Amino acid sequence: MAPTVELDTTLQELYAVDNPDGPEPILAMAIPSAVVQLTSSLPLSTKFVSQAPRSIPVGRDLMARICLGTGAQTHAFMAGKMSVVLFDPDWAEYEIEVEEARDPRRRRIHQVDALQVFGQLEKTQQPNVTFVVSPSDIKVTTPETPVAVMFPMDCLAQLPLLLAPESHYRLLSKVGLVASTLPSPPSQVIDPDIGLDQVHDDGLVEAAVAHMMGPIVDRAAPFVIKLPQSNGGQGVFVIEKDSERQEAVEVLTPEVKRMIQALGESNAHLRPASLVVQELIQGPVVSLSLFITRAGRPIFIACAEQYIDAHGLWGGSFVDYGRQDQLRDHYEDTASKVARVLHQEGYYGPVGVDVVTSPDQTQLVIDLNVRVPASYPLGFLKRHFALGRSLPIAVVLYPLPLVCSRAEFERAFDQEYQAGRIVICGWCHGREGDEGHGGTEGNEGNEGNEGNVRYSIASVVLGGESLAQVRALMERINAHRFSKRKEGTVR
């Protein structure tokens, strides 16, 4: 059995700082999809729309297991003894055939996965998890109890949210960041030149798209293009050469058309169809994890460097625990500025801040994630890795698509797992293919044919004595990733 994981602190403890008499929030964990309806009870947002043109196209079941399964678990891993709400994916065909024969009181596969993840934690730090099908199933204990969500979604807007959804949406917006008082790179915001009564006129929409593509075609490289509501690098394009410009135009032209056609009376004032064209700042980039107290005080959680994959997408973050005190002091002023802006908007809670340092040593905010950021677990595992096992370097890999079950993964990395060098922060089993049905909690084996792919979506934190050692372990784990062929078959 792997060692119990004891976190440095928890969100429950952090929400109580400067808030001794305030009600404890309920955490409702869901990551929206830009184009795939996750479940029959969680429709796509038409007001709080998002964009992800660089994401790999997948179907509902797999997307739900990423966004409602592994992603939700990862972002709730640090909750502590709080109430955490997780949404059930719709029943998949392979589940129905197996589960119908089971005792109806038994939990579904994704529920077993989630409880196994949280069960690794020290008992006083395990969240109180409720699984629901619909937002209407969320039970708020008192009228004063706020619900904290990761992203504003139309279907969650009727809940008593900690922050008004329009305010939250603006704070998450790349356009909103440019308009804020926070220091950021020189930027141009391109708004669609079209009326709301014209967004379904194909000719006028095409003209508006051409208008928005003009600055991208004409601007001298290097520069960065950002869509207003995207995460994980799925709406960011770095342009340093003509081939990258051409690729961006090819991807953005249909996406901008979709964005314009999604404009309406309910959301036009939120500028969800605008583009940000920004100066590319050459310099080191870090991800600050903070917690903003109800009184507006920033609490430093961690400072991580970003791991960018071969496709230019965010693939994980790593921290050096030995440098955290130095980095906290170095970015203290930027943290205070962020806290001041968020406090003025009424927000308190977790936040991730991507900061680039320019050649003249100016710290510029290039992204503001007003939610639990994906690298947040790193700041809660210093006791586990650095103090408990003399492992000063830690890396988070998420999302991690694997062609093995959790049981197979634990066997393959038994030595590292038992030594506490691997902490699983999220796991969800799934299965795809019209020919393959079935599946169990252990999900043993992967048939490996095109019609019957068993997979896992994981989130893991790796600890090591050096970055080179951690990277070596990453390479071994990457051997269990989906191949490009299998990525294509898992729809």
Side-chain angles (χ1 to χ4, degrees):
M1 179 179 290
T4 298
V5 176
E6 184 177 357
L7 304 172
D8 296 13
T9 186
T10 65
L11 289 178
Q12 182 185 45
E13 293 170 348
L14 291 169
Y15 272 113
V17 176
D18 296 339
N19 187 31
D21 301 319
E24 184 176 282
I26 295 171
L27 304 183
M29 310 306 287
I31 301 172
S33 166
V35 294
V36 177
Q37 182 172 335
L38 295 176
T39 76
S40 56
S41 300
L42 297 175
L44 284 170
S45 292
T46 58
K47 177 178 181 177
F48 300 115
V49 295
S50 58
Q51 304 90 31
R54 300 186 69 187
S55 63
I56 299 172
V58 298
R60 175 187 287 189
D61 187 61
L62 174 54
M63 184 63 79
R65 291 175 192 279
I66 296 171
C67 296
L68 306 179
T70 303
Q73 296 164 28
T74 301
H75 293 85
F77 190 73
M78 304 73 53
K81 212 72 176 174
M82 296 182 74
S83 294
V84 170
V85 175
L86 300 180
F87 290 90
D88 290 328
D90 287 341
W91 283 84
E93 185 178 352
Y94 61 84
E95 284 187 285
I96 294 172
E97 294 194 358
V98 171
E99 299 281 350
E100 279 180 342
R102 294 183 175 183
D103 184 334
R105 293 170 297 182
R106 292 194 63 176
R107 292 192 177 278
R108 292 175 60 188
I109 297 169
H110 70 277
Q111 296 176 348
V112 173
D113 289 335
L115 295 177
Q116 187 176 5
V117 166
F118 297 130
Q120 306 167 106
L121 295 166
E122 199 273 327
K123 285 191 179 297
T124 62
Q125 297 182 335
Q126 295 178 12
N128 300 312
V129 180
T130 302
F131 296 96
V132 301
V133 173
S134 167
S136 62
D137 298 331
I138 298 175
K139 306 302 181 187
V140 180
T141 52
T142 68
E144 296 78 27
T145 300
V147 178
V149 298
M150 289 188 59
F151 297 89
M153 299 167 63
D154 291 10
C155 60
L156 302 179
Q158 301 308 312
L159 295 170
L161 299 177
L162 182 146
L163 182 66
E166 286 199 5
S167 297
H168 196 178
Y169 193 75
R170 286 193 179 96
L171 288 173
L172 288 167
S173 171
K174 310 302 189 277
V175 176
L177 175 57
V178 171
S180 76
T181 58
L182 292 172
S184 61
S187 304
Q188 174 189 7
V189 177
I190 308 171
D191 293 308
D193 185 17
I194 193 169
L196 292 182
D197 59 342
Q198 301 171 327
V199 298
H200 298 297
D201 183 312
D202 287 343
L204 294 175
V205 170
E206 294 292 345
V209 171
H211 160 75
M212 296 182 72
M213 290 295 104
I216 294 171
V217 172
D218 297 336
R219 181 168 177 144
F223 60 96
V224 181
I225 309 163
K226 297 180 178 179
L227 300 183
Q229 294 284 345
S230 64
N231 66 86
Q234 295 176 353
V236 177
F237 300 80
V238 177
I239 311 301
E240 296 185 273
K241 50 189 178 183
D242 287 342
S243 61
E244 292 169 337
R245 186 197 308 268
Q246 181 179 349
E247 178 189 358
V249 171
E250 289 174 356
V251 174
L252 285 172
T253 297
E255 181 66 15
V256 170
K257 180 179 180 178
R258 186 184 75 85
M259 291 161 55
I260 291 174
Q261 292 176 328
L263 282 171
E265 294 287 351
S266 69
N267 66 5
H269 61 294
L270 300 174
R271 303 173 79 181
S274 302
L275 295 177
V276 173
V277 179
Q278 195 168 78
E279 181 179 326
L280 176 62
I281 305 298
Q282 303 291 350
V285 177
V286 300
S287 296
L288 282 179
S289 290
L290 307 171
F291 187 94
I292 311 303
T293 72
R294 196 165 189 178
R297 249 188 337 124
I299 297 176
F300 177 86
I301 302 297
C303 181
E305 297 179 69
Q306 297 182 344
Y307 167 70
I308 306 300
D309 69 15
H311 304 288
L313 301 178
W314 186 88
S317 298
F318 67 91
V319 296
D320 181 342
Y321 290 115
R323 298 185 61 224
Q324 292 303 293
D325 289 345
Q326 173 191 347
L327 292 168
R328 178 193 58 211
D329 294 343
H330 185 70
Y331 291 101
E332 182 178 15
D333 184 55
T334 296
S336 296
K337 291 176 181 177
V338 169
R340 189 157 49 248
V341 167
L342 298 185
H343 182 61
Q344 289 171 350
E345 294 294 328
Y347 178 77
Y348 61 101
V351 61
V353 190
D354 292 347
V355 182
V356 63
T357 300
S358 68
D360 67 359
Q361 300 305 301
T362 301
Q363 294 175 11
L364 302 172
V365 177
I366 55 175
D367 201 9
L368 190 62
N369 297 306
V370 186
R371 55 176 174 82
V372 178
S375 59
Y376 220 54
L378 293 171
F380 293 74
L381 291 168
K382 180 177 180 179
R383 177 181 300 171
H384 178 85
F385 286 121
L387 303 182
R389 291 164 179 81
S390 299
L391 304 173
I393 305 296
V395 174
V396 60
L397 301 179
Y398 161 78
L400 181 63
L402 300 169
V403 289
C404 62
S405 68
R406 174 163 177 168
E408 291 168 331
F409 181 85
E410 290 179 8
R411 286 197 296 269
F413 298 95
D414 180 69
Q415 183 176 349
E416 293 84 1
Y417 190 60
Q418 299 300 330
R421 288 176 176 262
I422 297 177
V423 173
I424 295 174
C425 297
W427 199 285
C428 199
H429 291 98
R431 188 166 176 176
E432 280 285 336
D434 294 335
E435 301 170 20
H437 308 297
T440 64
E441 279 103 5
N443 204 15
E444 296 291 331
N446 177 59
E447 277 72 1
N449 64 64
E450 295 289 331
N452 186 12
V453 179
R454 296 186 183 187
Y455 64 85
S456 295
I457 303 297
S459 171
V460 300
V461 180
L462 315 177
E465 283 121 16
S466 66
L467 188 55
Q469 185 184 67
V470 172
R471 283 177 172 163
L473 181 55
M474 286 169 58
E475 289 303 312
R476 289 174 54 206
I477 290 175
N478 284 338
H480 296 263
R481 278 180 177 259
F482 288 137
S483 68
K484 285 194 176 293
R485 176 180 63 83
K486 287 176 180 172
E487 280 178 356
T489 62
V490 180
R491 299 182 295 279

